[in-house]
Amino acid sequence: MRIGFNRWGKSLFVLLLGLAACSSPEHPTSTPTQEDPTTGEVYTRRRVVVADSLIRGRILDRNDSVLVDTRPQFLLKLPLRPPLDTLALGQLLGWDSTTVRRRIAEALPYPGARPGYPVQLRLTKAEAERIRRDSSATVPRLTLLERPRRTYTTPAGAPILGYLGAEAQAFYRQAQRYRRGRFYRLRNGGVESYYNGLLTGRHGYLHPLVDKQGRQHGTWAPDTTFRQGQDLHLTLDVKLQAYAEKLIGSRKGYLVALDPRTGEILAYVSGPVYPAATLTAPDQAGVRAELLEDENMPLLNRPAMLANPPGSVFKLVNAAVALQMQAITPASAFPCDQRLVSCVHRHRPASSLTAGLKYSCNPYFYQVMRSLIDCVPDSLAQDTVAARHANLAQWRRYVRSFGLDSVLGVDLPREAPGFLPTPAYYDKARRTRNWTYRSIYSLSIGQGEINLTGLQMANMAAIIANRGWYYRPHLVRSVGSTGPLPRFREKRHTLIDSAHFAALVPGMVAVMQRGGTADASSLADVGITVAGKTGTVENDEGDDHAAFVGFAPADNPKIAVAVYLENGGFGATAAAPCAVMVMEKYLRGYIAPKRKRWEARIQHRARNGY
């Protein structure tokens, strides 16, 4: 019985070996024959692989610092059966006992895993050399492995850099086991996934027609040229990215900074943050399990995938549309009538649009939106219902030209479109066509049914900075030496006149000045004029969310920033400081001593998640 089984096994092995040889790209493969119609001679079609080895491209930041590369990785495989002398292992590697225990615990798939689970620990080249020299004498039964893998040179930028799917299989299996995949859209592999074909390159193939003597007689298909994997030069500034991640830390939320002149994303933070190598590292199974089970959902790519009500920052868009539709002028004044809607800011009467923005007066913008929705033209004087429907549809048309209610087309595998309500939506939600402005007034302060992603918020700030136009936000500055993808070079315009955007800027500058909602975050002491808008998003299920959008310098914008902190409280005290810190860091390279204590307090809160 054993002999028969062995013979069958050997036959199967030979068959599989033959199939592998036939299908291997290193060998020419024969295909059906082709007859020459003039001579009648029969030729064999062949497909020959050009013998060049593919090397996956690197990922670099905007200053050409290498972020991801394929390099040799050293792995130490621990013995399956105890006991393991952890003290001797630590002495051999130069680790203390706490580090040894922590590294082994991080490699186990869950706390308290039984002995016998295979554990592999990543080593540096120097640590690997120590193992090679005297491991058998000090700690027996250790195995040292070396293999090429994608190596992250920085812990920053996890949701941007992503991961190679082939190296993330252990992570996929864990997610399946924990049934958490649907929450995180786990196939969102960053630029590694989006640009996979360009990073990988392609083999070259020849397609000769060969006679029985092996002589070539033309080709049966066009030859394809060999193309090496291309390097990706990101728009990201890795130092700014690392700094921004320290400001967000373990808190839920996001920070997106981009160059409004080009659409290049300078920093892209999704909180809580985690090291970029975590999802593919063979010794991080325990850390991955914690990330998958964390109720704060750190693996969710918040700036691209999570759409939230924007709050008061959306007053900027409503004001621009109202100006365009001639519902108001920059000099329009409205009383702070809190019988309409509450106003949390104590301030003087808003005698103009600039004052309304400076104080973020809710009743002011309630009346701005009402003048827009309830405007009845002479042609519809007898049908106010139709007038409201037409005005809301026109409002939505203008707002959509900001890139809202649709994907912007950023170079990431997944992106949410956000949401803007339509007249038909309210007809269905209110179960009548006779709804009034009072039933939809939450639109005026960026609440209710409006939802925007972080990318859309940052792009909204860039549009105002540019007075009405934008380039699509993107993460890759150049593929090899060819520049970004063509669609990122197309300038796009909103339907709002540039003069109406210019009318918003004085109010945004006033927000950052004495008496404004974010006057404590001013950078006037270092000569930078910031234009911004705060937002506090009401939340029925916990603390309010904090929001801020802005750009600097106000007269020649070089950076636009959007910050959103879930359950962060007031936008002026939680989100605005993070945004202006990033602006100052980018524009000056360092933080002024005056704000160092402020910076330390923000980073302390970020580390502790509040």
Side-chain angles (χ1 to χ4, degrees):
M1 190 71 177
R2 181 176 296 177
I3 294 173
F5 175 80
N6 288 340
R7 286 177 179 172
W8 180 84
K10 289 178 180 178
S11 301
L12 179 61
F13 175 75
V14 171
L15 176 62
L16 292 175
L17 189 63
L19 289 173
C22 292
S23 61
S24 172
E26 297 177 0
H27 296 79
T29 58
S30 296
T31 54
T33 57
Q34 177 175 320
E35 182 177 343
D36 190 325
T38 57
T39 64
E41 188 172 356
V42 177
Y43 302 129
T44 301
R45 294 180 178 181
R46 293 189 179 274
R47 187 167 183 259
V48 182
V49 180
V50 177
D52 283 314
S53 58
L54 286 173
I55 301 175
R56 190 173 179 84
R58 302 172 300 169
I59 300 177
L60 306 93
D61 83 336
R62 66 188 297 111
N63 299 313
D64 290 335
S65 297
V66 177
L67 307 180
V68 187
D69 194 9
T70 303
R71 297 177 180 176
Q73 186 178 75
F74 301 97
L75 296 174
L76 180 63
K77 187 175 180 181
L78 302 185
L80 293 178
R81 295 181 180 179
L84 174 66
D85 190 342
T86 55
L87 180 61
L89 178 62
Q91 292 175 343
L92 176 61
L93 294 171
W95 301 348
D96 58 37
S97 58
T98 303
T99 301
V100 174
R101 288 194 297 270
R102 176 181 58 82
R103 293 289 301 272
I104 294 176
E106 288 176 346
L108 295 173
Y110 53 89
R114 294 180 179 179
Y117 185 85
V119 172
Q120 295 179 349
L121 304 178
R122 287 174 296 166
L123 303 181
T124 64
K125 187 174 182 180
E127 292 167 346
E129 287 299 323
R130 293 180 184 176
I131 295 293
R132 283 197 182 101
R133 283 198 303 267
D134 53 10
S135 66
S136 57
T138 308
V139 184
R141 297 181 294 133
L142 295 179
T143 305
L144 183 64
L145 307 174
E146 181 180 351
R147 58 185 178 183
R149 283 180 70 93
R150 296 297 274 177
T151 302
Y152 298 82
T153 64
T154 174
I160 307 159
L161 301 176
Y163 45 81
L164 186 61
E167 296 184 357
Q169 294 304 308
F171 170 54
Y172 291 152
R173 288 192 294 270
Q174 277 185 281
Q176 206 169 21
R177 190 181 312 124
Y178 284 101
R179 300 180 183 274
R180 302 287 281 178
R182 66 184 183 278
F183 295 112
Y184 301 120
R185 285 77 166 178
L186 292 179
R187 298 290 173 177
N188 184 15
V191 294
E192 280 271 25
S193 173
Y194 193 88
Y195 290 93
N196 182 57
L198 295 171
L199 283 165
T200 303
R202 70 181 179 202
H203 289 287
Y205 294 98
L206 306 178
H207 303 88
L209 283 170
V210 181
D211 61 19
K212 294 179 180 179
Q213 286 73 38
R215 294 188 295 263
Q216 183 175 344
H217 297 267
T219 61
W220 59 273
D223 296 335
T224 57
T225 57
F226 171 84
R227 187 181 67 193
Q228 194 58 273
Q230 302 289 298
D231 289 344
L232 294 185
H233 298 263
L234 302 187
T235 62
L236 201 71
D237 183 327
V238 70
K239 293 182 179 179
L240 187 69
Q241 174 74 20
Y243 180 75
E245 289 190 2
K246 290 180 181 179
L247 300 178
I248 300 298
S250 299
R251 297 184 286 185
K252 294 186 295 181
Y254 58 73
L255 184 153
V256 179
L258 52 84
D259 186 336
R261 300 167 296 182
T262 61
E264 296 178 353
I265 296 174
L266 304 170
Y268 180 104
V269 182
S270 178
V273 300
Y274 59 91
T278 302
L279 301 187
T280 56
D283 58 354
Q284 294 288 289
V287 179
R288 290 194 291 268
E290 292 177 1
L291 293 176
L292 286 164
E293 293 185 288
D294 192 332
E295 62 180 9
N296 291 331
M297 299 175 67
L299 297 178
L300 180 64
N301 192 344
R302 280 179 160 82
M305 291 303 301
L306 190 63
N308 290 310
S312 291
V313 300
F314 198 74
K315 293 172 181 175
L316 296 166
V317 178
N318 283 335
V321 175
L323 289 168
Q324 182 69 28
M325 294 178 66
Q326 300 181 355
I328 63 168
T329 69
S332 293
F334 295 103
C336 184
D337 186 353
Q338 299 200 40
R339 292 172 300 176
L340 303 174
V341 61
S342 64
C343 185
V344 298
H345 306 288
R346 293 183 179 180
H347 59 84
R348 299 173 182 174
S351 58
S352 66
L353 176 59
T354 295
L357 289 170
K358 177 179 181 177
Y359 304 131
S360 194
C361 178
N362 285 344
Y364 183 96
F365 286 95
Y366 176 102
Q367 294 167 91
V368 167
M369 191 74 173
R370 184 174 65 182
S371 65
L372 187 159
I373 297 296
D374 284 348
C375 177
V376 180
D378 294 339
S379 59
L380 294 174
Q382 303 302 318
D383 192 351
T384 58
V385 172
R388 278 193 292 271
H389 278 67
N391 289 334
L392 182 63
Q394 184 75 333
W395 167 86
R396 185 174 181 274
R397 175 172 171 267
Y398 282 120
V399 173
R400 288 193 84 241
S401 71
F402 284 72
L404 308 182
D405 197 41
S406 62
V407 296
L408 285 170
V410 68
D411 40 358
L412 286 172
R414 293 179 183 272
E415 182 187 358
F419 181 73
L420 294 173
T422 64
Y425 172 87
Y426 283 123
D427 291 347
K428 184 176 180 180
R430 305 295 186 261
R431 298 183 179 181
T432 178
R433 280 179 50 83
N434 296 324
W435 46 264
T436 63
Y437 171 69
R438 183 64 188 173
S439 69
I440 66 168
Y441 80 90
S442 58
L443 299 180
S444 67
I445 54 175
Q447 299 271 175
E449 296 81 9
I450 300 176
N451 285 306
L452 271 62
T453 66
L455 287 167
Q456 291 171 336
M457 295 260 282
N459 193 56
M460 180 181 76
I463 289 171
I464 300 171
N466 295 331
R467 312 302 193 262
W469 58 267
Y470 68 97
Y471 289 102
R472 295 177 193 262
H474 53 283
L475 289 161
V476 172
R477 200 178 197 185
S478 178
V479 179
S481 57
T482 61
L485 298 181
R487 73 171 185 269
F488 298 129
R489 302 174 188 170
E490 300 171 4
K491 183 183 286 189
R492 305 172 70 86
H493 294 267
T494 67
L495 300 176
I496 310 292
D497 296 338
S498 60
H500 300 320
F501 287 106
L504 302 178
V505 176
M508 297 179 69
V509 171
V511 166
M512 313 301 295
Q513 295 174 342
R514 185 177 180 84
T517 56
D519 56 357
S521 297
S522 172
L523 296 180
D525 60 303
V526 292
I528 299 174
T529 303
V530 178
K533 182 69 189 75
T534 59
T536 302
V537 185
E538 295 178 11
N539 177 27
D540 296 334
E541 299 178 357
D543 293 335
D544 291 343
H545 307 314
F548 180 87
V549 297
F551 52 86
D555 56 347
N556 182 27
K558 298 177 182 178
I559 182 172
V561 182
V563 178
Y564 198 99
L565 294 174
E566 298 174 35
N567 311 119
F570 293 107
T573 57
C578 295
V580 298
M581 289 284 183
V582 169
M583 291 177 184
E584 184 177 6
K585 187 75 171 179
Y586 179 70
L587 295 173
R588 302 182 71 229
Y590 60 93
I591 302 299
K594 175 183 178 180
R595 278 177 287 280
K596 279 294 183 181
R597 183 178 297 178
W598 196 19
E599 176 190 49
R601 185 168 66 249
I602 293 172
Q603 292 180 352
H604 174 76
R605 290 179 177 177
R607 285 192 299 271
N608 292 280
Y610 66 90

